[in-house]
Amino acid sequence: MSKILNKLEGMAGTDYSALVINNRPIASTFSKEEMLYLKLSQQAFVHIFKQADKIQANDLYDEAHLQLGQRRLLCFRLEDNILYISMLPQTNDIQKAQKVIRGAFSVLRKIASASTHQPQKN
């Protein structure tokens, strides 16, 4: 899975990314030093989407952006409980990243689906 994330990062111009299902990262390229930003942004994005859903019941928002200091984070909601979070350098083109990531939605959904249907280890 991390090979797919790394390839997507290269195409989108992002530094790190993670696929999160039910508030748990199932695949991540975030370094140990950057994991705090993943956890913090995940909590913020979940809250943002929850509040947006309350405000606009007819529209489903699937993208949010957050800046923490010099770090820009993008989040795409693939399903209700599936998020793709990436960290974008300050100097990189956010529109290019959006286009590339949106183009990869079907692949990301397949990865998430495969991960949720794997047998549980006892």
Side-chain angles (χ1 to χ4, degrees):
M1 272 191 262
S2 61
K3 284 183 181 183
I4 295 170
L5 294 181
N6 284 326
K7 185 170 183 160
L8 184 55
E9 289 166 6
M11 293 168 51
T14 57
D15 285 336
Y16 305 105
S17 62
L19 192 57
V20 179
I21 299 178
N22 294 322
N23 298 322
R24 197 182 102 240
I26 60 157
S28 174
T29 63
F30 277 79
S31 66
K32 285 186 178 184
E33 296 81 23
E34 302 294 336
M35 281 303 290
L36 178 61
Y37 291 99
L38 174 60
K39 290 177 185 177
L40 182 60
S41 66
Q42 176 189 336
Q43 291 172 351
F45 289 131
V46 166
H47 183 72
I48 288 167
F49 287 131
K50 189 180 293 186
Q51 295 306 312
D53 289 345
K54 286 180 184 177
I55 294 169
Q56 292 290 335
N58 297 335
D59 294 328
L60 181 64
Y61 292 103
D62 67 350
E63 181 177 345
H65 303 201
L66 179 65
Q67 182 151 345
L68 297 170
Q70 298 299 311
R71 290 161 177 88
R72 290 189 302 172
L73 294 128
L74 309 175
C75 182
F76 296 87
R77 180 167 52 176
L78 304 172
E79 302 280 335
D80 281 337
N81 61 342
I82 303 171
L83 302 176
Y84 175 79
I85 300 172
S86 61
M87 186 181 291
L88 183 71
Q90 285 283 65
T91 57
N92 285 28
D93 183 5
I94 196 167
Q95 291 173 332
K96 176 187 174 191
Q98 289 171 304
K99 184 177 180 180
V100 169
I101 294 167
R102 283 197 178 279
F105 268 28
S106 62
V107 171
L108 293 169
R109 283 186 179 122
K110 284 179 187 176
I111 293 170
S113 178
S115 297
T116 57
H117 292 99
Q118 288 179 353
Q120 298 292 323
K121 294 181 181 178
N122 291 335

